[in-house]
Amino acid sequence: MDFSRVRTGEMIAGISGVALFVFMFIDWFGFETPEIQTPGGIEFDVPTIEGSFSAWQSFDFIDIVLLLAVIAAVGLLVLSASQASVNLPVAASAITAGLGILATLLVLYRIIDPPDFGVEELDEARKIGVYLGLIASVGIAVGGWMAMQEEGTTFSGEADRLGGAGPGEGPPPPGSP
């Protein structure tokens, strides 16, 4: 593998992918039982229950999407470094950018609406891992997009390629004979 041939966008996406994979193992969310308030100001010695969860433990589906984004980002870096030619229906940079964008949106959604862990009376807390995961997801999206720009690829061009229309093979413009 020759990493001197790797472009900037591919390097950003690959490093962000490795970082996201590592960040998925640290705490993303936590909880603790709220303090019990009694009407007469009587204090009870109630033990608090605390817990922390990584991305793997917090999500059912989102962690799979994050893992796919990691695989795409690291795969883009490895393909570029090895100069391997893979016949994909869509450019690897477009796949990486798309999965990075999806991962970013899903992590943002979970920052706004954290999982409830099946218990109603708990105070949920966002831990550092969810914010690091957001940064790494944005890095994958930006790196994939930069790689697309460096290749001269666009999402619309890849959609045409996936749909089977080559350059100039689209439907005729309206009003032409």
Side-chain angles (χ1 to χ4, degrees), residues 10-154:
E10 297 160 343
M11 186 64 75
I12 291 171
I15 291 172
S16 297
V18 170
L20 179 59
F21 185 72
V22 171
F23 296 154
M24 289 176 71
F25 288 98
I26 63 176
D27 293 338
W28 282 41
F29 298 99
F31 69 87
E32 62 182 48
T33 55
E35 294 181 15
I36 297 175
Q37 301 292 328
T38 59
I42 303 170
E43 293 185 21
F44 291 99
D45 188 20
V46 179
T48 59
I49 301 171
E50 297 180 10
S52 296
F53 299 97
S54 68
W56 301 107
Q57 298 163 323
S58 299
F59 305 128
D60 291 331
F61 171 72
I62 295 175
D63 57 346
I64 303 299
V65 175
L66 296 177
L67 182 61
L68 289 174
V70 166
I71 292 169
V74 173
L76 177 66
L77 177 66
V78 170
L79 282 175
S80 179
S82 66
Q83 293 296 310
S85 177
V86 179
N87 191 13
L88 296 173
V90 178
S93 58
I95 294 170
T96 302
L99 284 171
I101 292 167
L102 180 61
T104 300
L105 292 174
L106 290 173
V107 172
L108 270 175
Y109 165 68
R110 278 308 181 186
I111 288 174
I112 294 168
D113 184 24
D116 63 2
F117 305 111
V119 182
E120 291 292 324
E121 297 295 322
L122 297 178
D123 294 329
E124 295 104 8
R126 292 154 194 91
K127 303 282 185 181
I128 188 73
V130 73
Y131 298 110
L132 294 173
L134 177 65
I135 293 168
S137 297
V138 168
I140 291 173
V142 168
W145 181 80
M146 287 175 63
M148 286 177 62
Q149 300 302 310
E150 292 165 349
E151 293 173 354
T153 306
T154 63

